[in-house]
Amino acid sequence: MRSCSIVLILLICLIPFHTTAQNISIELNKNWQFKNQKENKWYKATVPGTVHTDLLANKLIPDPYFRDNESKLQWIDKADWEYKTVFNVDDQTFIKKNIELVFDGLDTYTDVFLNGKLILQADNMFRGWTIDVKPFIKRTNNVLLIRFASAQNKVDSIAKSKLPLILPDNNRVYVRKAQFQFGWDWGPKFVGFGIWKKVYLKVAEVKRSTAINNDHNSIVKLIQQKDSIGTSFYFEKNGKPIYAKGANWIPGDVFLPRLKRDDYRKMLLSAKDANMNMLRVWGGGVYEANDFYDLCDSLGIMVWQDFMFAGGMYPGDDAFMNNVREEVKYQIERLKDHPCIVLWCGNNEVEEAWKNWGWQNQFNLHGNDSAKVWNDYKRLFQDSLKKWVDEFDGTRPYVSTSPKNGWGRKESFTEGDSHYWGVWWGLEDWETFENKTGRFVSEYGMQAMPNWNTIKSFTDPSDRYLQSPVIRSHQKASDGFKKLEHYLTRYFIDSAKLSRLSLEDYTYLSQCMQYYILKNSIAVHRSKYPANMGTLLWQLNDCWPVTSWSITDYSRQPKAAWYAVREAYRDDVLPVKDAVYPKDLVLQKPEFAIFTSPNSVSITSSVAVKYVYLAIKDKDLSFSDNYFDLKPGETKIIKTNKTINLPDLKIKSLYDILNAQ
């Protein structure tokens, strides 16, 4: 026993240690007020929070997501706002030598005053801020005041000062702020303000030593090697290749502080339950909350982590670069101990856009202007970010952009990762993947309407027809319904019948179509193994109620395609492509025998039936399966999280839609 103890002591002595301060945190999240800087009346505020949710809580605005309220609330982003609180410090805290004020997140342009003294000017949503406040703090009645300047006004002003140079393709590129807040093709425009993460006092206490773990991520590697096709792109764990099955992740709400740990758990379980092993945190959103990465660690979900740059050419001046360096340092140091993170990626679709989207002509970038914009790109994404990742992490790979090549280039199928949007944007059939599947398909997808209960949540009954302005305002994609109808008529229904569908039936059919196309696209991708080593569909989730490419909508409930993806991503059975288009099926009218029991439903059909859909008004009720097929006489038992009252259950199948008068 004695010799074993000596060996153990020697081993412990070889473990590297570092010394950190053990801190006491005192949260300052109570008694906040806010107001428009041009007005005098203060209102109660919630911290962490946003100005939109504070206005809503005080009944000063309608629900931003309801009907077409988005367009009526754009004035909020053009105003300036301020927040304040008054707090005391207890005697034990006040006598400490080191007292710091910490902001985990300020969105975005802020002047912070403590007892009338300007102590911070912040300009980056993605950085934490720590200020020594010992010289300014009092025992009682400390006044903390935060003035938020309009980010929209700020970026417009910066952009104007740079004329005639115009950076593609939105003034948002000048601010280090969640880019999707300026509007996206699945999201509304709510630029916003707020103390969006915790604010607290930090008091340094005693020192302690902790072990450093430098090997947490050494088991997962990115393999890019020349081969007979081009260059591989896949991940390897413990020396074994991994086929990545997953999705792209966008923020779960426009108003980020609404998201709690239970929301993250529900969304991430929906990924895990769909047999996903990877999520790509998309570069137009945010570096996610700690809860997100903790849950990915525990669920065994790998994370492809973009840095927060998307769809634009970014400045290259020293002030911007220094700001980004501090952002990267802060975020890597915050996140690097999470084993789930397997890759850092510089940006989303910036290099592809520069090379393929015609920005040079659109924004008159030629000669020296074009050279400057491209050189700034290379400085940030090809040089600096790589250096900073090596400096602050040193264990994970870095790629400068996603995708490596645009979907119109032949190299996108032979090397690197691929975003293939010929299906959807190019109106190509899903069968095109037979010849155009990349080595690692990190984006592709198909739209569908949100669930019917979700549509009802943001509409009045008078809005519930396809051409209504409200329904159209919750479809952000260019020609979105035109593209949907192209695919619906291609695979499911003739245009005359389609034009007669109710919105509810149109919703159902759009979800069947998304199911069908994702199932078959994944089947093709997986059939290309091992040339293809990953398929990450666009997208897992939504940030508000909208028609989009998501497979779970803003209610966190699955759309039809989620059930298709769950089957297509199974490890034990490879998906099989459909041999017949749904519109060419010969369907007979089914007669269903349905029985309910506690927490289950059993259903039998008299004939073969496609896309059987069970619906109930209770938005919290979930089914273990839905949009399924049945053979004649086959009985299927569906588990539910609640007991169903049979008269409340609605059932629909593809026959009902294709044979409707």
Side-chain angles (χ1 to χ4, degrees), residues 41-92:
K41 186 173 181 180
W42 291 88
Y43 296 91
K44 184 178 180 181
T46 298
V47 171
T50 74
V51 69
H52 288 88
T53 49
D54 285 333
L55 288 166
L56 181 61
N58 284 277
K59 300 182 179 179
L60 299 172
I61 61 169
D63 182 348
Y65 295 171
F66 187 63
R67 303 194 75 214
D68 55 356
N69 286 339
E70 176 198 357
S71 63
K72 302 169 185 175
L73 299 177
Q74 294 304 301
W75 61 271
I76 298 169
D77 298 336
K78 297 293 186 72
D80 299 321
W81 300 86
E82 56 188 64
Y83 281 68
K84 74 173 181 181
T85 189
V86 179
F87 65 93
N88 300 327
V89 179
D90 62 62
D91 290 333
Q92 281 190 324

Side-chain angles (χ1 to χ4, degrees), residues 356-474:
N356 300 314
W357 294 3
W359 276 350
Q360 291 88 338
N361 289 332
Q362 183 181 351
F363 296 99
N364 195 29
L365 294 168
H366 302 287
N368 290 338
D369 285 344
S370 178
K372 171 180 169 42
V373 172
W374 179 241
N375 286 335
D376 286 347
Y377 173 89
K378 291 193 294 183
R379 180 188 179 196
L380 177 56
F381 296 109
Q382 295 180 1
D383 301 331
S384 299
L385 274 171
K386 183 180 187 306
K387 179 178 70 177
W388 298 335
V389 168
D390 289 343
E391 179 182 356
F392 303 129
D393 184 332
T395 64
R396 293 178 178 85
Y398 169 79
V399 295
S400 62
T401 189
S402 177
K404 183 175 182 182
N405 297 287
W407 59 266
R409 295 174 177 261
K410 62 180 182 180
E411 294 86 0
S412 67
F413 310 120
T414 61
E415 61 183 38
D417 70 313
S418 168
H419 294 192
Y420 194 76
W421 285 108
V423 179
W424 178 260
W425 287 108
L427 298 179
E428 295 175 357
D429 296 346
W430 62 260
E431 292 94 334
T432 196
F433 281 120
E434 292 286 4
N435 299 311
K436 295 182 177 180
T437 291
R439 310 303 302 269
F440 191 105
V441 188
S442 48
E443 276 193 29
Y444 67 98
M446 180 55 53
Q447 272 203 354
M449 301 283 282
N451 291 310
W452 183 241
N453 281 339
T454 302
I455 291 174
K456 290 193 292 184
S457 75
F458 70 82
T459 58
D460 279 335
S462 62
D463 301 322
R464 293 170 194 160
Y465 62 99
L466 190 60
Q467 303 299 328
S468 83
V470 168
I471 294 297
R472 297 273 159 171
S473 72
H474 287 250

Side-chain angles (χ1 to χ4, degrees), residues 168-401:
D169 73 331
N170 189 298
N171 294 346
R172 61 179 165 77
V173 297
Y174 286 104
V175 61
R176 295 310 300 140
K177 178 174 172 61
Q179 303 285 272
F180 85 107
Q181 294 176 332
F182 291 82
W184 221 265
D185 57 5
W186 36 256
K189 184 175 186 288
F190 292 118
V191 176
F193 313 75
I195 308 168
W196 76 288
K197 291 192 173 185
K198 289 180 180 179
V199 52
Y200 51 95
L201 292 176
K202 186 168 73 175
V203 182
E205 285 290 309
V206 299
K207 300 281 186 176
R208 60 173 177 159
S209 294
T210 55
I212 300 173
N213 178 4
N214 285 324
D215 299 319
H216 64 274
N217 201 57
S218 60
I219 56 172
V220 179
K221 298 178 181 178
L222 174 64
I223 308 299
Q224 298 184 88
Q225 294 177 339
K226 295 287 186 181
D227 59 21
S228 61
I229 301 169
T231 304
S232 68
F233 191 106
Y234 66 92
F235 293 89
E236 185 181 85
K237 186 173 184 178
N238 292 332
K240 296 181 179 179
I242 307 167
Y243 189 89
K245 301 171 298 180
N248 286 261
W249 171 278
I250 66 169
D253 204 305
V254 174
F255 308 124
L256 294 157
R258 281 179 168 175
L259 296 168
K260 309 304 179 191
R261 187 177 179 88
D262 283 348
D263 297 303
Y264 283 110
R265 180 182 289 109
K266 187 166 188 176
M267 288 187 281
L268 289 170
L269 282 174
S270 76
K272 184 69 174 179
D273 291 345
N275 296 310
M276 295 184 183
N277 60 17
M278 178 176 282
L279 292 173
R280 173 178 174 242
V281 178
W282 171 75
V286 294
Y287 306 95
E288 274 298 345
N290 292 338
D291 287 336
F292 172 88
Y293 301 99
D294 289 341
L295 288 162
C296 286
D297 288 342
S298 65
L299 292 169
I301 296 174
M302 295 178 288
V303 173
W304 166 318
Q305 179 67 54
D306 281 4
F307 289 105
M308 292 301 118
F309 301 90
M313 302 304 291
Y314 290 84
D317 58 274
D318 288 344
F320 187 87
M321 295 290 289
N322 290 336
N323 197 355
V324 173
R325 183 184 187 278
E326 291 304 310
E327 167 191 324
V328 170
K329 180 176 186 289
Y330 175 79
Q331 292 296 343
I332 290 181
E333 289 179 350
R334 179 175 77 92
L335 299 175
K336 67 181 179 181
D337 288 333
H338 287 283
C340 63
I341 298 176
V342 297
L343 178 70
W344 301 105
C345 176
N347 67 69
N348 172 75
E349 296 188 346
V350 178
E351 187 163 333
E352 174 183 4
W354 180 254
K355 291 179 177 177
N356 300 314
W357 294 3
W359 276 350
Q360 291 88 338
N361 289 332
Q362 183 181 351
F363 296 99
N364 195 29
L365 294 168
H366 302 287
N368 290 338
D369 285 344
S370 178
K372 171 180 169 42
V373 172
W374 179 241
N375 286 335
D376 286 347
Y377 173 89
K378 291 193 294 183
R379 180 188 179 196
L380 177 56
F381 296 109
Q382 295 180 1
D383 301 331
S384 299
L385 274 171
K386 183 180 187 306
K387 179 178 70 177
W388 298 335
V389 168
D390 289 343
E391 179 182 356
F392 303 129
D393 184 332
T395 64
R396 293 178 178 85
Y398 169 79
V399 295
S400 62
T401 189

Side-chain angles (χ1 to χ4, degrees), residues 486-527:
H486 167 84
Y487 284 101
L488 286 168
T489 55
R490 178 78 177 96
Y491 292 113
F492 276 85
I493 192 171
D494 67 59
S495 57
K497 285 183 178 179
L498 181 63
S499 67
R500 296 195 296 268
L501 293 183
S502 68
L503 183 64
E504 186 172 2
D505 285 347
Y506 184 98
T507 296
Y508 162 82
L509 197 63
S510 76
Q511 292 211 10
C512 293
M513 188 265 294
Q514 187 188 34
Y515 179 119
Y516 168 80
I517 289 182
L518 289 186
K519 170 195 171 182
N520 285 286
S521 297
I522 294 168
V524 177
H525 292 168
R526 295 193 67 183
S527 74

Side-chain angles (χ1 to χ4, degrees), residues 582-629:
K583 70 178 182 181
D584 295 331
L585 294 169
V586 178
L587 300 173
Q588 296 175 285
K589 183 175 182 177
E591 297 291 337
F592 293 110
I594 307 170
F595 300 95
T596 62
S597 59
N599 300 106
S600 71
V601 178
S602 66
I603 180 169
T604 308
S605 173
S606 58
V607 297
V609 63
K610 293 287 292 183
Y611 300 115
V612 178
Y613 168 55
L614 305 179
I616 200 160
K617 289 183 178 179
D618 184 347
K619 60 182 175 54
D620 296 320
L621 190 140
S622 61
F623 298 98
S624 62
D625 203 356
N626 217 337
Y627 294 89
F628 49 84
D629 298 345

